[in-house]
Amino acid sequence: MMDALLAGMAEKLADDHGLRRPGWTRTAPKMKPEWVASGTPRMREEQRKHAPRQLLDRGLVIDERSLWRDREVTGA
């Protein structure tokens, strides 16, 4: 799971900044079966709706807000 998560995050960061995706991400495994956090069906649907495509492509349904904060919130 960690390999899939790190690869998805690296791909998202690269895509967001117009950079080439790191080569090592091509060999990172996809989660089978898909991993979804526990919660009600409505919560799971919200997580899917707000999950980055790069993580969904790797079989991880994780809400983007769980991983990154808005720059205005962090002051970065």
Side-chain angles (χ1 to χ4, degrees), residues 3-4 7-8 24-30 58:
D3 289 343
W24 61 267
T25 63
R26 289 189 294 275
T27 61
K30 180 178 178 177
R58 295 195 165 280

Side-chain angles (χ1 to χ4, degrees), residues 14-71:
D15 293 349
D16 287 354
H17 295 282
L19 302 171
R20 187 179 323 162
R21 289 179 172 188
W24 61 267
T25 63
R26 289 189 294 275
T27 61
K30 180 178 178 177
M31 293 297 297
K32 292 181 185 174
E34 179 179 76
W35 185 88
V36 183
S38 60
T40 66
R42 181 175 287 178
M43 291 168 65
R44 289 179 176 182
E45 186 54 39
E46 281 297 306
Q47 291 169 1
R48 184 176 300 283
K49 188 179 355 177
H50 296 286
R53 172 62 36 209
Q54 297 86 345
L55 294 179
L56 291 173
D57 290 347
R58 295 195 165 280
L60 296 166
V61 181
I62 302 173
D63 187 328
E64 183 171 15
R65 297 170 291 188
S66 297
L67 301 172
W68 287 279
R69 294 190 200 167
D70 190 322
R71 286 180 182 215

